[in-house]
Amino acid sequence: MTGWSQALSAHPAPTEDAATLTGNRGLQLEEKLIFEQDSAGLSGVDLPEPPVHKSRLGGLERREPIGLPGLSEPQVVRHFTRLSQKNYAIDSGLYPLGSCTMKHNPRINEKMARLPGFADIHPLQPASTIQGALELIDTLAHWLKILTGMPAVALSPAAGAHGELCGMMTIRAALTAQGDARQRILVPESAHGTNPATAATCGYAIDPIPNNARGRVDLAALKAKLGGDVAALMLTNPNTCGLFEDEILEIATAVHAAGAFFYCDGANFNAIVGRVRPADLGIDALHLNLHKTFSTPHGGGGPGSGPVALATALASHAPLPWVVHGDKGLSLLEHAEGLAARTIGRLKGFHGQMGMFVRALSYIMSHGADGLKQVAEDAVLNANYLRVRLAGTLSQSYPGSCMHEVLFDDRFLKDTGVTTLDFAKSLIDEGFHPMTMYFPLVVHGALLIEPTETESKASLDQFADTVNGLAVRAKSGDIAGFHAAPRLTPRRRLDETGAARKPLLRWRPESPSREAAE
Amino acid sequence: MTGWSQALSAHPAPTEDAATLTGNRGLQLEEKLIFEQDSAGLSGVDLPEPPVHKSRLGGLERREPIGLPGLSEPQVVRHFTRLSQKNYAIDSGLYPLGSCTMKHNPRINEKMARLPGFADIHPLQPASTIQGALELIDTLAHWLKILTGMPAVALSPAAGAHGELCGMMTIRAALTAQGDARQRILVPESAHGTNPATAATCGYAIDPIPNNARGRVDLAALKAKLGGDVAALMLTNPNTCGLFEDEILEIATAVHAAGAFFYCDGANFNAIVGRVRPADLGIDALHLNLHKTFSTPHGGGGPGSGPVALATALASHAPLPWVVHGDKGLSLLEHAEGLAARTIGRLKGFHGQMGMFVRALSYIMSHGADGLKQVAEDAVLNANYLRVRLAGTLSQSYPGSCMHEVLFDDRFLKDTGVTTLDFAKSLIDEGFHPMTMYFPLVVHGALLIEPTETESKASLDQFADTVNGLAVRAKSGDIAGFHAAPRLTPRRRLDETGAARKPLLRWRPESPSREAAE
Amino acid sequence: MRYLPLTPADRAEMLAAIGATSIDELFADVPATARRAGLVDLPLAQGEIEVERALSKMAAKNIAAGSVPFFIGGGAYRHHVPAAVDHLIQRGEFLTSYTPYQPELAQGTLQALFEFQTQVALLTGMEVANASLYDGATACAEAVAMAHRITRRGKAVLSGGLHPHYREVCATYAQFSGLEVEALDPSPGIVEKIDLDNETACVVVQNPDFFGELRDWSALAARCHQQGALLIVAVTEIVSLGAVKPPGAMGADIVAAEGQGIGNALNFGGPYVGLFAAREQHVRQIPGRLAGQTTDTDGRRGWVLTLSTREQHIRREKATSNICTNSGLCALAFAIHLALLGETGLTRLARLNHAAACNLADRLAAVPGVRLVTGSFFNEFALRLPIPAAEAVTVLAEKGVLGGVAASRLYPERDDLADLLLVAATEMVTQQNIDSYSDALAEILR
Amino acid sequence: MRYLPLTPADRAEMLAAIGATSIDELFADVPATARRAGLVDLPLAQGEIEVERALSKMAAKNIAAGSVPFFIGGGAYRHHVPAAVDHLIQRGEFLTSYTPYQPELAQGTLQALFEFQTQVALLTGMEVANASLYDGATACAEAVAMAHRITRRGKAVLSGGLHPHYREVCATYAQFSGLEVEALDPSPGIVEKIDLDNETACVVVQNPDFFGELRDWSALAARCHQQGALLIVAVTEIVSLGAVKPPGAMGADIVAAEGQGIGNALNFGGPYVGLFAAREQHVRQIPGRLAGQTTDTDGRRGWVLTLSTREQHIRREKATSNICTNSGLCALAFAIHLALLGETGLTRLARLNHAAACNLADRLAAVPGVRLVTGSFFNEFALRLPIPAAEAVTVLAEKGVLGGVAASRLYPERDDLADLLLVAATEMVTQQNIDSYSDALAEILR
Ligand SMILES: Cc1ncc(COP(=O)(O)O)c(C=O)c1O
Ligand SMILES: Cc1ncc(COP(=O)(O)O)c(C=O)c1O
């Protein structure tokens, strides 16, 4: 600790970045845009010259150059290798992004997803040639039904938000079928942004409900708002404060009593997988993020997969396609007919995120029922361990134990001149990805920490020691050091306001990018 | 340039490394040994409990614990990911290690080598089940024979030095067969260390021959040494000064006239592949490094593959096994019998580096005869371009054009107080791997630069600008800056002398490593 | 369990530190009636060997496209993806990182997205593009919604040449957002009549259309703009833009495309990557993420996610879309593959595809009873057969040829399309494949 | 050509800068008679699609071990390698880096090698290990040469149980370095008599031996040491050390082992990884590279290659070996796989192998006419058949079973071994495989 303040003062001036001729700093390598590395005519792909033949493009030949740069394979491999080296990832270290469940991504899942029998099959092949694919989907659905306790699961949604949309659409379809035109969706203030956005996309009006002092839905306020115009409650459980909605049964009863449906955002399913079945909580629809609980890699922003478990009242409205068992084995029901006559229709091209299904099933089979239960327990244990390790220095927003993630707010930074943002950025220099900041919105300067079950105790201890150490420093008043953070990354704090004021969203030959790069 | 000196002075004190609590520095992450991360009982591999059965280990059960640490898969993946991030590689940038031909390693080669039909076949499977493997070996041999112009090629050697050994053994076998017990091998002073070491391993005495002022073998000195006791000349061509032995035909004639064989170290084949056939130079035996000219990845030290092309006089002594065409297709001749009666015997278990053969053939087929010729031309062009770009500041050891690599010595550093080592280490901070240093031994403070053909002109220009800039700085007398280099790597200059004085070659529970790590 | 680093000892120690006597205590908030000791009737944990065996067995029950003569398109295309692409997207720093909300730790992903956006803009001939959406079909629905926001009009007209899945997804979204969708009937080979009025927010066309037909939509664009409507052009085979006049040059206001054809495998339909491009003037109405250039504290160029005020995590119910996770890694694969191809590679790839399709079309149209319906096309076209196309597809499959898509699979209700077969050819098709196909088809129709 | 970044324009510009009028000028030193415009009768450049097609075709002509009941060992073993291993060794920073001569740019490789050396030392029960050699056979030859350097004696005695390839490689090396090799006859099942004299530099034994037999060599070690000779123990199946008493515990002075069984595929025999371990007192006689711990300018722990004065690049003809490039990446794969296994995983893996072999031995020995020759074994054993083993192997292969190695393939000259079949079973063998094998064998011998 002592060495630190001294070192901070000894912190090199920004001009240190001029310290090398290349701008490279040892293993930290600068990299221009591919457009700035163009060698006209080069290509990293060798293709034969097409046989001469008469064009049938009907005069629509593309005549202007496209403007793509020419690079050889070595240049492209080096370019993207260097870019990757500017990223932090789960593979690099602890990634405690609350609400994101950044757990280890097993490599066997990647290998399985690349088997030609899964990766090299076309969605429109005849059913007889894709029985194994349908079997895989059916097997995954079976697992998800048992894990949620719900009778049906719609697999086509492409991510969590898409799953929310699917769920809300089935709810609206069910109500409409009853000739019931309810217009309002109740959404707690702590909800993730996709919840209200989804409800709106589904044509609904949003009615926010407050949290109580215990970080849960204010049951009284909820009941007060429930009425004939409420189509559904969209609740996240465990919620975004990392807490289990302990009055959830009362909530469900109230919602149903009001003739509304109970939608649950299952993004935080990791806390309860294998231990609690949403069906037992009175939930009518719930989406799961395979890219969270079931470890399909987040890939720097996707792809994901957001299957939705549906109660009987909603199941018949599930989106197309359906996988059905028939005399000729498994097949796809792709049109609003027969069993699927009441479907909301199609939500996506083809049949869903097959590549993610394979990874998720590989993950599920690897854990088995026993392993999944252990996942939930270790996830909750790790979060609570961090909670107590940090309790001394940070300010926990809601007392008591948490589920898979723990929420702090910025009270501990009061009067230090250090903001939640500064604090998080200083973690970056320490080699950690920051926790989720300023979400949920129900507390001030939120810091939401989710370690996941794939972190070792040693890893948690190092993180806790660091956070505590930084908290002490913040209180000891080294504002400059925090404002200056991060100091050790390929780029220091980036000007987001400036970026939004004058958006530069693509490279242009004459754009500043070029100069900037010289 | 101006900013630089200022920055160098602003160079942070070593204590900057205390600047973080974790010792991590943003994306540069510290990592302990796996032995320091042991959690007894953990394993990253789940295996079923074996059925109970009576042991047949004959009382040789291992009773003491082995002492291996227990880690989960996430920890192991993170451990080796972090370690990899402390490495520089071709994928990161220019790697101008003279004599090592660090060229781009195409990924299609990796994919091909992993096809189950190649990776998952056993060397002792019946011939009928491995016809494709033998066909691949035979096809690669065909290419190498045509590229060298020589009638036979022995594929089993595992690397260049092993190929040298193979070649020298066939030479000795051929002489012995003639009842000729010659004892001396002539080796130029510029030769790579493996040459004399190999000759010694083969039971020969080494007799060094000097270079002439032009960086080639001194023909007169060579002739003077040639005599009835000389078994062979081991010459590298192009030689380790990056020069083509322009008197090679005279050399060959003289060697043969003396009744000796002419062995050529073909490590530098990249300079002439597709343009010059060693057979046309009077060479009797030559090894190729598939891990250089033919791009099989160097893997941080291997594996390699060192096929040896042999003249008719030596071919019959080629090591086992041989691939032969028969009525039942291709087969392996694995014993000293029939055709192979005069073999030197077996040099290695099984049949050679199949995995490397696949990669090399994939590389060769991708280039074709035309591409390979272009490889040689671009390799030589790139080296000469650097030669002229650097001529102004560095001191080229031998005037005139070079082949695939260019040799400089430390005359340009005279009186600067900066050594070749300092100079090379300062390149590390600039984001480049240094050139080969202090080899060959025939010049003082050698700097041997081999860019290879897979570097773009832009890459060469940036390197040249940097080297020139550093040379100017060295002459301007900033000794401290050079002695301090590298400053920006995960570790700064390492104490090699200390390491050799008190060798610590493994971790031990009680060893200093542990403390050092705390 | 190999993925769980906690030992029993760790767990005990941590529980003690927490002050809990058992893990159950931490689940105390769960209603007693919902607490479960565990789940019954489900398999237990398995090792890699067992999992690999079981999944490989399932995979083996499918016929991989690469193992047979293969001619299926219909919105997903089998192109060669260089080994370097898969190698690079599997680097842990790309594969296991989250959405780049912390730019200082994600410059790699952000710069790649900035390059991706530029590539998409260039390819489509548009001014700006976003950082990807789920797929082409959802991108199309988002485009319709965007047109609605911009024009404040309630009707979307969908061309009969629009991919049925795109049409259906637009319809599903619209049905709930209260938009009226007018979907024209498919009319392969015939130029359709598109009516606009001042309620029309947008017209959605596809090029090449679902039946492979290429059209210049410039005139329609002009009409749309006169009427104050937007022209949305969907592209389901992105490789076509290596040879075909881009939507931007036809006056499109928004382009919604499927990017799978570059960098991504067939994957039985997903994950794919939705491309979304538009005119700069509408940038604040664009759905999804945008990477933008900026500078850091030291004045150096860098990248961030920008214009987030459009997005759900800031704007909530007022966001331009509810999308959060998109198709990041597929977009990266697209960017890498396209960086490898470059101008020369992509244009040649497109020409190869067109050549293969022309070759195939001639061969198949020469089969007695077969008629080529599509006039001008890129790498896919429609045939009329003397027998139901569905039947032909089945029999061809039995003969080991995956010969295309029967229009009836997507338009079961349209008897007039029962004999229509969609056939595609890419650079992966060999002369031998083409021979096998035409022989098999001739045999069937004999 | 996709791997060549220079454009024609670059080449012209660079030639001009060099002051050459043509590329040929740069080859002026090549004797005119040896200059070639190019090479005739060789194929020209091909794209990835064509190369992949051609090589896949060759690969398809081989029967992959994983596709049939598989029981071949004899020095190379088919074990499961976790996907994480191959993923990690393919990271460019490992795959495309050179030997770590610049430690500041290679701490990753160096630390991994230091961990590898420790793992090998622990596994073999020895004090120190090197950073790998080519393979087990060459490691064995290097061990003999090292014993020669240490003892200054001229004779090496090789047990008849030593893998014939190891024996042959030792013989080849010795024949040229002037060492006398006394190779005892193979005597499966029978304890051989080994004589030593004061000319004996070393005795080389194998455990388990080539026929699968396990022996405790402690007594021999004692005799060797009395005689001033060294005991070299070869291990061809490294997994055995997860269950079997290690050579170090038997008094071995040098261990030469094949490491393929951990982390590496069968690869038709290569690349593999030679493991080499010895007593600390002989460290300066060890061949090959050694990673050692040290500190940097700031006093922090780091790693370097050390004791290079043993090596060819410093010591030239006086080096302990001529080896330079070794098996770096295979050693890394070994280190990663073993790190994943850990104490629990490796010991269990070994027990699984032994269990499978016991199960198989019982089943096959029960086949009429078959006799189990090996008394105590790990995962491989020898059988005597009523027919020539070579014939059995061929017929089994026709029935789709790769049933083992006929001793006659390695000892064609030994008629007494003609009926001897070597059979191995690893964790990859299923009960079903075992059934198929015993059924097929019974059928053949019926
Ligand atoms: C609580 C919650 N709900 C919904 C979502 C949206 O999921 P996705 O990003 O997969 O659309 C997220 C993901 O960030 C989330 O954390
Ligand atoms: C000129 C020369 N000869 C021989 C060798 C030895 O080759 P290998 O390392 O493959 O044994 C090398 C490799 O460094 C070399 O550069």
Side-chain angles (χ1 to χ4, degrees), chain A residues 98-100 158-164 191-195 236 238-240 265-268 287 289 291-292 298 301 304-306 405 439, chain C residues 98-99 101 134 289 312 322-326:
Chain A
S99 204
C100 301
H162 207 216
E164 296 171 26
H192 188 267
T194 50
N195 293 186
T236 306
N239 69 24
T240 61
D265 180 330
N268 294 338
H287 80 263
N289 302 57
H291 46 297
K292 292 181 180 178
H298 207 284
S305 180
E405 58 193 350
F439 174 81
Chain C
Y98 197 71
T99 302
Y101 288 137
Y134 303 137
R289 298 186 187 123
Q312 47 74 26
N322 72 329
I323 193 167
C324 180
T325 291
N326 55 25

Side-chain angles (χ1 to χ4, degrees), chain B residues 44 47 56 373 491 495, chain D residues 37 61 294 301 340 348 362:
Chain B
L47 295 165
R56 296 197 189 167
K373 177 166 176 290
R491 286 296 178 268
D495 178 5
Chain D
K61 293 180 189 166
T294 186
R301 177 174 67 169
L340 282 166
R348 179 175 287 197
D362 290 340

Side-chain angles (χ1 to χ4, degrees), chain A residues 66-346:
Chain A
I66 302 167
L68 297 169
L71 289 86
S72 63
E73 178 176 303
Q75 294 167 290
V76 172
V77 168
R78 187 172 290 173
H79 176 74
F80 288 99
T81 298
R82 286 182 170 199
L83 291 193
S84 73
Q85 290 166 338
K86 300 172 194 298
N87 274 6
Y88 188 91
I90 303 170
D91 283 3
S92 330
L94 182 72
Y95 211 121
L97 261 186
S99 204
C100 301
T101 314
M102 294 298 280
K103 62 170 65 178
H104 172 63
N105 302 143
R107 292 310 185 271
I108 181 68
N109 304 355
E110 294 306 306
K111 186 176 176 188
M112 293 301 94
R114 285 167 172 79
L115 291 172
F118 292 136
D120 193 26
I121 54 176
H122 191 288
L124 297 180
Q125 283 182 215
S128 63
T129 68
I130 44 117
Q131 286 298 302
L134 299 181
E135 179 185 341
L136 183 133
I137 294 174
D138 196 52
T139 310
L140 176 62
H142 175 72
W143 271 96
L144 298 182
K145 282 184 252 176
I146 294 191
L147 289 172
T148 56
M150 304 184 57
V153 61
L155 282 165
S156 71
H162 207 216
E164 296 171 26
L165 189 59
C166 172
M168 296 310 290
M169 283 178 171
T170 56
I171 287 172
R172 185 157 184 179
L175 288 167
T176 312
Q178 303 161 19
D180 187 337
R182 296 164 179 250
Q183 283 304 327
R184 271 187 314 132
I185 302 293
L186 303 184
V187 183
E189 287 161 349
S190 60
H192 188 267
T194 50
N195 293 186
T198 297
T201 307
C202 196
Y204 278 120
I206 283 71
D207 193 345
I209 35 176
N211 272 15
N212 62 24
R214 295 170 43 258
R216 278 91 169 174
V217 163
D218 181 325
L219 185 54
L222 170 69
K223 287 183 168 159
K225 295 214 174 202
L226 278 169
D229 192 35
V230 174
L233 164 71
M234 269 186 110
L235 183 68
T236 306
N237 186 51
N239 69 24
T240 61
C241 303
L243 302 171
F244 194 94
E245 293 285 348
D246 49 8
E247 297 177 307
I248 193 160
L249 294 181
E250 295 78 350
I251 292 174
T253 316
V255 168
H256 291 145
F261 282 98
F262 184 2
Y263 182 88
C264 181
D265 180 330
N268 294 338
F269 193 58
N270 205 50
I272 58 175
V273 60
R275 268 194 77 112
V276 180
R277 302 185 321 164
D280 299 335
L281 303 172
I283 290 160
D284 300 308
L286 158 132
H287 80 263
L288 300 169
N289 302 57
L290 297 188
H291 46 297
K292 292 181 180 178
T293 310
F294 299 102
S295 88
T296 73
H298 207 284
S305 180
V308 181
L310 297 167
T312 318
L314 301 175
S316 66
H317 302 288
L320 298 169
W322 293 15
V323 174
V324 293
H325 293 257
D327 46 2
K328 281 213 224 60
L330 293 158
S331 63
L332 284 163
L333 202 51
E334 298 180 284
H335 300 280
E337 58 196 12
L339 274 176
R342 308 176 65 204
T343 175
I344 53 168
R346 188 172 277 284

Side-chain angles (χ1 to χ4, degrees), chain A residues 438-454:
Chain A
Y438 302 108
F439 174 81
L441 309 175
V442 291
V443 302
H444 194 276
L447 297 126
L448 185 63
I449 303 177
E450 179 181 15
T452 84
E453 73 283 1
T454 58

Side-chain angles (χ1 to χ4, degrees), chain B residues 35-393:
Chain B
F35 305 96
E36 296 160 346
Q37 299 181 41
D38 176 23
S39 288
L42 281 189
S43 177
V45 181
D46 292 326
L47 295 165
E49 189 48 47
V52 278
H53 67 95
K54 154 172 158 317
S55 161
R56 296 197 189 167
L57 297 176
L60 283 184
E61 287 74 11
R62 185 166 194 159
R63 307 197 192 283
E64 302 301 312
I66 302 168
L68 297 169
L71 288 86
S72 63
E73 178 175 301
Q75 293 167 290
V76 173
V77 168
R78 189 173 288 174
H79 176 73
F80 287 99
T81 298
R82 286 182 170 201
L83 291 193
S84 74
Q85 291 167 337
K86 302 174 193 295
N87 274 8
Y88 188 91
I90 303 170
D91 283 2
S92 329
L94 183 71
Y95 211 121
L97 261 187
S99 205
C100 300
T101 313
M102 293 298 279
K103 62 170 66 178
H104 173 62
N105 301 144
R107 292 309 185 273
I108 181 67
N109 304 353
E110 294 306 307
K111 185 175 177 189
M112 293 300 94
R114 285 168 171 79
L115 292 172
F118 292 136
D120 192 26
I121 53 175
H122 191 288
L124 297 179
Q125 283 182 214
S128 62
T129 67
I130 44 117
Q131 286 298 303
L134 299 181
E135 179 184 344
L136 183 132
I137 295 175
D138 196 51
T139 310
L140 176 62
H142 175 72
W143 272 96
L144 298 183
K145 281 185 252 174
I146 294 191
L147 289 172
T148 56
M150 306 188 48
V153 60
L155 282 164
S156 71
H162 207 217
E164 295 171 26
L165 188 59
C166 172
M168 295 312 290
M169 283 178 170
T170 56
I171 287 171
R172 185 157 183 178
L175 288 168
T176 311
Q178 304 161 18
D180 188 337
R182 295 163 178 251
Q183 282 304 327
R184 271 188 313 133
I185 302 293
L186 303 185
V187 183
E189 286 159 351
S190 60
H192 188 267
T194 50
N195 293 186
T198 297
T201 307
C202 197
Y204 279 120
I206 283 75
D207 193 347
I209 34 175
N211 270 16
N212 62 24
R214 295 171 41 256
R216 277 87 170 177
V217 164
D218 182 325
L219 186 54
L222 170 69
K223 287 182 169 164
K225 294 214 175 203
L226 277 169
D229 191 38
V230 173
L233 164 69
M234 273 187 106
L235 183 69
T236 306
N237 186 52
N239 69 26
T240 61
C241 303
L243 303 171
F244 194 94
E245 291 285 347
D246 49 8
E247 296 175 311
I248 193 160
L249 295 180
E250 295 77 350
I251 292 174
T253 316
V255 168
H256 292 145
F261 283 98
F262 184 2
Y263 182 90
C264 181
D265 180 329
N268 294 338
F269 193 59
N270 205 50
I272 57 174
V273 60
R275 267 195 75 112
V276 180
R277 303 186 320 165
D280 299 336
L281 303 172
I283 291 160
D284 301 308
L286 157 132
H287 79 263
L288 300 168
N289 302 57
L290 297 188
H291 45 297
K292 293 182 179 179
T293 309
F294 300 103
S295 88
T296 73
H298 207 285
S305 179
V308 181
L310 297 168
T312 318
L314 301 174
S316 66
H317 302 288
L320 299 169
W322 294 15
V323 173
V324 292
H325 294 256
D327 46 3
K328 281 214 223 60
L330 294 159
S331 64
L332 285 163
L333 201 52
E334 299 180 283
H335 300 279
E337 58 195 12
L339 275 176
R342 308 176 65 202
T343 176
I344 54 169
R346 186 173 277 285
L347 269 179
K348 177 178 188 312
F350 305 118
H351 326 310
Q353 308 283 65
M354 180 67 172
M356 304 296 114
F357 300 161
V358 179
R359 291 169 173 89
L361 184 59
S362 174
Y363 177 86
I364 288 172
M365 290 171 72
S366 298
H367 282 84
D370 50 340
L372 290 174
K373 177 166 176 290
Q374 191 67 59
V375 162
E377 293 177 0
D378 287 358
V380 170
L381 183 62
N382 277 355
N384 278 283
Y385 181 69
L386 277 186
R387 178 177 58 80
V388 297
R389 286 289 330 265
L390 301 176
T393 43

Side-chain angles (χ1 to χ4, degrees), chain D residues 103-389:
Chain D
E104 299 86 359
L105 287 179
Q107 284 299 294
T109 294
L110 286 161
Q111 183 174 335
L113 288 177
F114 185 80
E115 294 176 341
F116 167 80
Q117 291 173 181
T118 308
Q119 290 171 322
V120 173
L122 289 169
L123 220 47
T124 54
M126 303 299 285
E127 290 163 341
V128 290
N130 77 2
S132 88
L133 296 172
Y134 303 136
D135 69 357
T138 55
C140 194
E142 292 276 12
V144 169
M146 175 167 156
H148 175 49
R149 287 194 298 276
I150 293 171
T151 61
R152 298 222 163 57
R153 295 180 179 182
K155 194 176 72 183
V157 180
L158 312 185
S159 155
L162 183 63
H163 191 299
H165 286 181
Y166 290 45
R167 186 196 70 219
E168 294 167 32
V169 174
C170 289
T172 308
Y173 275 65
Q175 152 195 1
F176 292 97
S177 58
L179 255 172
E180 180 196 340
V181 161
E182 180 186 330
L184 306 179
D185 285 341
S187 54
I190 298 132
V191 183
E192 69 193 340
K193 190 169 153 312
I194 298 178
D195 299 322
L196 311 172
D197 57 35
N198 52 19
E199 254 321 287
T200 311
C202 60
V203 177
V204 184
V205 298
Q206 179 176 315
N207 204 46
D209 77 6
F210 183 66
F211 306 101
E213 196 72 45
L214 286 165
R215 302 201 192 288
D216 191 332
W217 297 102
S218 307
L220 177 62
R223 283 175 54 221
C224 286
H225 298 155
Q226 270 158 20
Q227 281 282 352
L230 303 185
L231 176 66
I232 297 170
V233 178
V235 179
T236 59
E237 164 55 302
I238 195 66
V239 171
S240 66
L241 292 180
V244 175
K245 185 175 176 184
M250 299 180 181
D253 299 286
I254 306 176
V255 175
E258 175 52 69
Q260 172 271 332
I262 294 180
N264 291 274
L266 288 173
N267 287 327
F268 195 54
Y272 286 176
V273 49
L275 311 181
F276 194 95
R279 308 207 162 284
E280 193 135 36
Q281 78 197 79
H282 299 138
V283 67
R284 288 190 154 72
Q285 288 301 335
I286 289 180
R289 299 187 187 121
L290 292 167
Q293 181 176 321
T294 186
T295 55
D296 77 349
T297 319
D298 299 336
R300 290 174 302 172
R301 177 174 67 169
W303 288 272
V304 293
L305 289 180
T306 190
L307 298 180
S308 322
T309 48
R310 300 165 301 109
E311 294 185 73
Q312 45 75 26
H313 63 282
I314 306 290
R315 214 25 158 324
R316 303 181 71 86
E317 61 266 33
K318 302 206 175 40
T320 54
S321 164
N322 72 327
I323 192 168
C324 180
T325 291
N326 55 25
S327 296
L329 203 70
C330 304
L332 178 66
F334 178 102
I336 297 170
H337 190 184
L338 194 49
L340 282 166
L341 284 165
E343 185 89 15
T344 318
L346 179 67
T347 49
R348 179 175 287 197
L349 175 65
R351 284 186 288 115
L352 267 174
N353 274 257
H354 186 49
C358 292
N359 175 349
L360 179 66
D362 290 340
R363 288 293 302 277
L364 297 185
V367 174
V370 177
R371 185 163 60 81
L372 176 63
V373 181
T374 320
S376 55
F377 55 84
F378 170 61
N379 69 352
E380 188 167 20
F381 50 83
L383 301 172
R384 293 266 181 200
L385 304 183
I387 62 171

Side-chain angles (χ1 to χ4, degrees), chain C residues 168-392:
Chain C
E168 294 168 31
V169 174
C170 288
T172 308
Y173 274 65
Q175 152 195 0
F176 292 97
S177 59
L179 255 171
E180 177 194 343
V181 163
E182 180 185 329
L184 306 178
D185 284 343
S187 53
I190 299 134
V191 183
E192 71 193 337
K193 192 169 152 311
I194 297 177
D195 299 323
L196 309 172
D197 59 34
N198 54 19
E199 254 321 288
T200 311
C202 59
V203 177
V204 185
V205 298
Q206 180 175 315
N207 204 47
D209 77 7
F210 183 67
F211 306 100
E213 196 73 45
L214 285 165
R215 304 202 190 284
D216 190 333
W217 297 103
S218 307
L220 177 61
R223 283 177 53 221
C224 286
H225 298 155
Q226 273 159 19
Q227 282 281 355
L230 303 186
L231 176 66
I232 298 170
V233 178
V235 179
T236 59
E237 165 54 305
I238 195 66
V239 172
S240 66
L241 292 180
V244 174
K245 183 176 176 183
M250 298 178 182
D253 299 285
I254 306 175
V255 176
E258 175 52 67
Q260 171 271 332
I262 294 179
N264 291 274
L266 288 173
N267 287 327
F268 196 55
Y272 287 175
V273 49
L275 311 182
F276 194 96
R279 307 207 165 284
E280 192 134 36
Q281 76 195 81
H282 298 138
V283 66
R284 286 188 155 71
Q285 289 299 336
I286 288 180
R289 298 186 187 123
L290 292 166
Q293 181 176 317
T294 186
T295 55
D296 78 351
T297 319
D298 298 337
R300 290 174 303 172
R301 176 173 70 168
W303 287 272
V304 294
L305 289 180
T306 190
L307 298 180
S308 323
T309 48
R310 300 164 301 109
E311 293 185 73
Q312 47 74 26
H313 62 281
I314 307 289
R315 214 25 160 324
R316 303 181 70 87
E317 61 266 32
K318 299 202 177 41
T320 54
S321 164
N322 72 329
I323 193 167
C324 180
T325 291
N326 55 25
S327 297
L329 203 69
C330 303
L332 178 66
F334 178 102
I336 297 170
H337 189 184
L338 195 48
L340 281 166
L341 284 164
E343 184 89 16
T344 319
L346 179 68
T347 49
R348 178 175 287 197
L349 175 65
R351 285 186 288 117
L352 267 175
N353 274 258
H354 187 49
C358 292
N359 175 351
L360 178 67
D362 291 340
R363 288 293 302 279
L364 297 185
V367 174
V370 177
R371 186 163 60 81
L372 175 64
V373 180
T374 320
S376 56
F377 56 85
F378 171 61
N379 70 351
E380 188 167 21
F381 50 81
L383 301 172
R384 293 265 183 202
L385 304 183
I387 61 171
E391 184 186 322

